[in-house]
Amino acid sequence: MTEKNILAYFKSPEEAEGVKRKLEALRAIDVQIDRFGRYPGESVNEPVNPLTGNIVSLAGLTMGAEISEKGVGILLSADPSASGMSDGGQGGPTGRDILLTAVVDEQSYAQALQVVQEAGGLV
């Protein structure tokens, strides 16, 4: 059988979870929900002490950013809001920052697409 994929954007995790349950009832092969943001990575709990030089990155010090690795810290520190000279545009993505990814059989693709769109998903 041929498989098709669906990428749909939602405003809240609850909307996406409702669609996920319906797609699973349609026997979707795989369904995943993720939230995306302006910068990658997850938080690493490292103490920040500017007196001893234990600073993960400039962004961690000035913005209270959650830094998971050195590359992410460099990227965040390049943001205008890290220097204090700008607010950087008031945060990251807003609105539809929840991504539902689904893999369905070709036979149920049209029905799955309809379920996503009726729930307010942007395909």
Side-chain angles (χ1 to χ4, degrees):
M1 293 191 151
T2 305
E3 299 172 351
K4 294 197 117 190
N5 62 37
I6 298 172
L7 298 175
Y9 299 90
F10 291 91
K11 293 180 180 178
S12 73
E14 293 78 21
E15 287 178 351
E17 284 292 337
V19 171
K20 180 179 180 179
R21 285 190 294 274
K22 291 177 182 178
L23 292 177
E24 288 172 344
L26 288 173
R27 298 182 185 228
I29 297 165
D30 190 23
V31 183
Q32 181 175 329
I33 299 172
D34 294 299
R35 171 168 263 149
F36 60 92
R38 190 172 185 180
Y39 299 107
E42 296 179 14
S43 173
V44 172
N45 294 327
E46 290 187 24
V48 175
N49 187 343
L51 297 175
T52 62
N54 186 11
I55 301 171
V56 178
S57 91
L58 175 65
L61 185 61
T62 61
M63 299 171 17
E66 300 174 344
I67 311 297
S68 62
E69 58 186 63
K70 186 177 180 179
V72 173
I74 293 168
L75 180 63
L76 284 169
S77 295
D79 191 282
S81 57
S83 69
M85 300 300 287
S86 168
D87 68 359
Q90 300 297 326
T94 57
R96 297 182 185 270
D97 62 343
I98 307 297
L99 174 64
L100 178 136
T101 308
V103 179
V104 297
D105 286 328
E106 189 173 28
Q107 296 170 345
S108 61
Y109 178 74
Q111 189 177 2
L113 202 56
Q114 183 178 357
V115 165
V116 169
Q117 290 173 337
E118 286 176 356
L122 179 65
V123 180

